[in-house]
């Protein structure tokens, strides 16, 4: 009886265990199914979100593309406008030159002598005084005093500018007359006046600075040249004026040295000296005002006023109607040739080329000693080959004060065209000269590195030799000495 009960209990327990196991398996399976369904739902949800995000990205990319396509014309016009502003800022003086010439052609009565504004006083005196006063204020006194001692640099510049350029132009004029060129005689006279003037007041220093040249040397030669020009330019005009083939009777200017020196002294030399004195005693205030008021721009505007007045006189007297197309072409051609020739001569004299590779011999010491640095060569080129309107037009006004007003305008044309050409070509030369100077600096750096490496190498070899010598010396010492040395 007892046995039967125990068996029944065991059977019941086994059945219960089996049922519980079945229930556990069923729950696990159901949980697995639920889990799989949840994963499937999450995958579907994730896929839907990803699809939505991809669609949004595609829509955004399409929108960005459309905006880019819409903004493309705007960016193109902006680039064109920015480039236009860049060139306008760089060549604004040339734009101004064309503007004042156009205004003179349209309204000559305003700026002519004895016209609306009395230009013989307000412009021909006032503008010249402003130009040279600002030039004196802009030149650093200490730099001038330091650079003025470099007599060889100044001698080369002034000899090329006052001797080579005018006398070579004199030869060209005689050649054109000899071959019977169909050019008006006033053009020949204008050439001689243009190339008898001094170097420019400010543009040569600006272009030298932009090319990383010796701008202090350019500034000194600009000031020195314009001071010398007060005396040398009238003297040159006296020499060339004696040639009757160029200056026919009745066309020669009156060279009254006392009157010329008085006028140029009051309008050129005195303002320059006054500006230097003010700069010396009030250096910081002058620098502040120069930066605040842009002295260089005021200087250029005063120069434009002078050109405007000259052209007003020429148009009012119908002087330009006598100029033919051949005359204009001759002026442009000779001016370009003379500027490029002046640049080539300046660089050749400053650097003295020597065919070392061709001759298979080193450059002579005398040539090396004569050569200027490339920075100095750039200053020599810009100062030796350029000519000034600031002194040239007042000189023409003084020399031809008793002639017709239109004569002054016609004689100024070669000088004005030369000024435009030297600004155009000079600014075009700046990046090439800058790379030329930079190459020198890189070569100097390489030479310094080589020298430093050789120096370090020699020092290392010397130290090594000294170490070996010390070791050899130590090895030859007595035992007690070597112990003391080791202990020390």
């Amino acid at each position: 009886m007892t046995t039967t009960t125990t068996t029944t209990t065991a059977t019941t327990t086994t059945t219960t265990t089996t049922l519980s196991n079945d229930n556990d398996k069923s729950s696990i399976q159901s949980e697995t199914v639920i889990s799989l369904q949840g994963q499937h739902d999450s995958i579907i949800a994730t896929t839907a979100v990803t699809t939505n995000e991809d669609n949004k990205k595609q829509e955004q990319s399409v929108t960005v593309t459309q905006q880019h396509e819409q903004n493309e014309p705007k960016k193109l016009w902006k680039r064109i406008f920015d480039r236009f502003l860049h060139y306008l800022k760089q060549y604004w003086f040339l734009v101004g030159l064309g503007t004042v010439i156009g205004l003179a052609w349209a309204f000559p009565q305003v700026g002519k002598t004895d016209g609306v504004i009395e230009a013989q006083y307000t412009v021909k005196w006032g503008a010249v005084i402003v130009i040279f006063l600002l030039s004196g204020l802009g030149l650093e006194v200490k730099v001038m005093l330091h650079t003025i001692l470099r007599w060889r640099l100044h001698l080369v510049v002034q000899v090329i500018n006052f001797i080579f350029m005018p006398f070579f132009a004199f030869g060209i004029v005689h050649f054109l007359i000899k071959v019977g060129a169909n050019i008006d005689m006033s053009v020949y006279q204008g050439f001689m006046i243009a190339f008898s003037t001094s170097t420019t007041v400010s543009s040569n220093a600006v272009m030298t600075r932009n090319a990383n040249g010796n701008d202090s040397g350019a500034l000194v030669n600009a000031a020195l040249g314009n001071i010398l020009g007060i005396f040398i330019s009238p003297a040159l005009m006296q020499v060339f004026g004696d040639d009757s083939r160029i200056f026919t009777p009745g066309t020669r200017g009156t060279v009254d040295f006392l009157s010329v020196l008085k006028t140029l002294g009051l309008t050129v030399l005195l303002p320059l000296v006054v500006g230097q004195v003010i700069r010396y005693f009030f250096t910081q205030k002058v620098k502040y005002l120069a930066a605040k008021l842009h002295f260089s721009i005021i200087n250029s505007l005063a120069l434009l006023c002078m050109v405007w007045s000259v052209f007003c006189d020429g148009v009012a007297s119908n002087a330009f109607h006598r100029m033919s197309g051949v005359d204009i072409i001759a002026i442009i051609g000779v001016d370009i040739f003379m500027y490029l020739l002046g640049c080539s001569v300046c660089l050749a004299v400053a650097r003295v080329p020597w065919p070392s590779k061709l001759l298979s011999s080193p450059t002579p010491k005398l040539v090396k000693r004569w050569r200027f640095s490339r920075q100095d060569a750039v200053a020599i080129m810009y100062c030796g080959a350029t000519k000034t309107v600031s002194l040239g037009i007042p000189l023409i006004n003084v020399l031809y004060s008793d002639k017709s007003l239109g004569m002054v305008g016609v004689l100024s044309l070669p000088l004005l065209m030369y000024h435009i050409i030297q600004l155009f070509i000079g600014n075009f030369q700046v990046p090439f000269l800058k790379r030329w100077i930079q190459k020198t600096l890189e070569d100097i750096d390489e030479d310094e590195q080589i020298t430093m490496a050789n120096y370090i190498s020699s020092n290392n070899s010397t130290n090594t030799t000294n170490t070996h010598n010390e070791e050899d010396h130590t090895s030859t010492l007595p035992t007690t000495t070597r112990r003391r040395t080791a202990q020390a």
Side-chain angles (χ1 to χ4, degrees):
M1 191 70 181
T2 305
T3 306
T4 306
T5 304
T6 303
T7 305
T8 305
T9 304
T11 305
T12 304
T13 303
T14 304
T15 305
T16 305
T17 303
T18 303
L19 290 172
S20 64
N21 289 335
D22 293 338
N23 291 332
D24 291 339
K25 288 180 181 179
S26 300
S27 63
I28 291 171
Q29 289 176 355
S30 62
E31 289 176 357
T32 302
V33 171
I34 293 171
S35 175
L36 290 173
Q37 290 177 351
Q39 291 179 1
H40 182 265
D41 293 338
S42 63
I43 290 171
I44 293 173
T46 303
T47 304
V49 171
T50 304
T51 304
N52 292 332
E53 290 179 354
D54 291 340
N55 292 333
K56 288 181 180 179
K57 288 181 180 180
Q58 289 178 358
E59 291 176 357
Q60 290 176 355
S61 63
V62 170
T63 305
V64 170
T65 304
Q66 292 175 351
Q67 292 177 354
H68 181 72
E69 290 177 353
Q70 292 175 357
N71 293 333
E72 189 65 29
K74 295 181 180 179
K75 290 183 178 179
L76 179 61
W77 283 110
K78 188 177 183 301
R79 287 198 300 268
I80 294 173
F81 183 71
D82 292 340
R83 183 59 60 89
F84 171 75
L85 287 180
H86 170 73
Y87 284 114
L88 183 62
K89 290 178 181 179
Q90 188 173 1
Y91 300 107
W92 73 269
F93 182 82
L94 300 177
V95 175
L97 198 60
T99 303
V100 297
I101 292 174
L103 290 174
W105 210 273
F107 311 104
Q109 302 300 324
V110 178
K112 72 169 189 172
T113 301
D114 297 322
V116 176
I117 63 170
E118 296 291 337
Q120 69 273 20
Y121 304 115
T122 57
V123 176
K124 293 173 183 176
W125 276 77
V128 177
I129 290 173
V130 168
I131 287 172
F132 284 94
L133 177 63
L134 294 180
S135 298
L137 292 172
L139 297 175
E140 187 70 48
V141 180
K142 294 180 180 179
V143 172
M144 285 191 66
L145 293 176
H146 174 73
T147 312
I148 199 71
L149 300 176
R150 300 191 59 192
W151 61 270
R152 197 164 61 96
L153 174 67
H154 313 319
L155 181 65
V156 170
V157 170
Q158 303 307 328
V159 166
I160 292 175
N161 196 260
F162 282 119
I163 296 178
F164 172 77
M165 295 290 284
F167 281 95
F168 198 92
F170 186 69
I172 289 178
V173 168
H174 270 276
F175 172 76
L176 293 175
I177 293 174
K178 190 75 174 177
V179 298
N182 187 23
I183 300 174
D184 193 272
M185 293 304 297
S186 60
V187 175
Y188 295 141
Q189 297 164 13
F191 282 142
M192 299 319 305
I193 295 172
F195 294 108
S196 297
T197 59
S198 61
T199 186
T200 54
V201 180
S202 59
S203 61
N204 50 10
V206 172
M207 290 186 290
T208 301
R209 187 183 303 115
N210 292 339
N212 292 338
N214 183 4
D215 58 335
S216 61
L219 281 171
V220 170
N221 276 283
L224 179 63
N226 281 273
I227 293 172
L228 293 175
I230 297 173
F231 308 96
I232 296 177
S233 295
L236 288 172
M237 289 309 304
Q238 178 72 33
V239 172
F240 297 135
D242 291 334
D243 192 332
S244 59
R245 287 173 295 180
I246 300 175
F247 293 89
T248 56
T251 61
R252 175 181 173 179
T254 304
V255 185
D256 184 356
F257 275 100
L258 185 60
S259 177
V260 169
L261 293 179
K262 178 184 175 181
T263 305
L264 295 181
L266 290 175
T267 58
V268 176
L269 184 59
L270 182 60
L272 192 65
V273 173
V274 170
Q276 281 287 276
V277 172
I278 296 173
R279 171 91 183 201
Y280 181 77
F281 287 105
F282 306 100
T283 305
Q284 296 302 323
K285 291 183 179 179
V286 170
K287 286 183 178 179
Y288 172 77
L289 290 175
K292 193 75 174 177
L293 301 178
H294 301 286
F295 280 179
S296 60
I297 295 179
I298 297 175
N299 200 327
S300 299
L301 290 175
L303 183 58
L304 289 175
C305 288
M306 289 176 55
V307 175
W308 169 64
S309 178
V310 167
F311 270 83
C312 283
D313 285 334
V315 174
S317 60
N318 295 321
F320 294 118
H321 290 289
R322 59 188 283 190
M323 303 291 292
S324 65
V326 176
D327 296 332
I328 300 298
I329 293 173
I331 291 173
I332 295 174
V334 172
D335 282 349
I336 292 175
F337 174 77
M338 285 299 298
Y339 178 75
L340 295 177
L341 177 68
C343 291
S344 302
V345 170
C346 288
L347 291 177
V349 172
R351 295 294 296 171
V352 186
W354 186 265
S356 300
K357 295 181 179 180
L358 184 63
L359 299 176
S360 301
S361 62
T363 305
K365 292 183 179 180
L366 183 63
V367 174
K368 288 183 178 180
R369 289 183 62 185
W370 168 261
R371 280 178 177 170
F372 292 86
S373 66
R374 294 190 181 186
Q375 289 87 343
D376 288 342
V378 171
I380 291 171
M381 188 200 81
Y382 278 127
C383 292
T386 54
K387 294 293 179 179
T388 180
V389 178
S390 304
L391 182 63
I393 292 178
L395 178 65
I396 297 171
N397 284 324
V398 173
L399 294 178
Y400 291 88
S401 58
D402 58 341
K403 299 293 188 296
S404 65
L405 299 177
M407 188 71 176
V408 176
V410 173
L411 293 175
S412 302
L413 269 182
L415 180 58
L416 290 173
M417 289 303 303
Y418 191 84
H419 190 77
I420 295 172
I421 288 166
Q422 70 189 14
L423 286 175
F424 263 121
I425 302 179
N427 280 286
F428 179 77
Q429 290 169 322
V430 165
F432 298 98
L433 294 171
K434 193 172 184 178
R435 285 197 293 269
W436 184 52
I437 292 175
Q438 185 63 34
K439 185 177 183 301
T440 305
L441 297 177
E442 292 173 357
D443 292 341
I444 291 173
D445 292 340
E446 290 179 0
D447 293 340
E448 289 179 352
Q449 292 175 1
I450 294 171
T451 304
M452 184 61 68
N454 293 334
Y455 175 75
I456 295 172
S457 177
S458 62
N459 283 345
N460 290 336
S461 62
T462 303
N463 294 335
T464 304
T465 304
N466 292 335
T467 304
H468 287 308
N469 291 336
E470 289 178 0
E471 291 176 354
D472 294 340
H473 179 66
T474 304
S475 64
T476 58
L477 292 175
T479 306
T480 56
T481 306
R482 273 184 283 170
R483 288 176 182 172
R484 290 175 185 173
T485 306
Q487 290 174 358

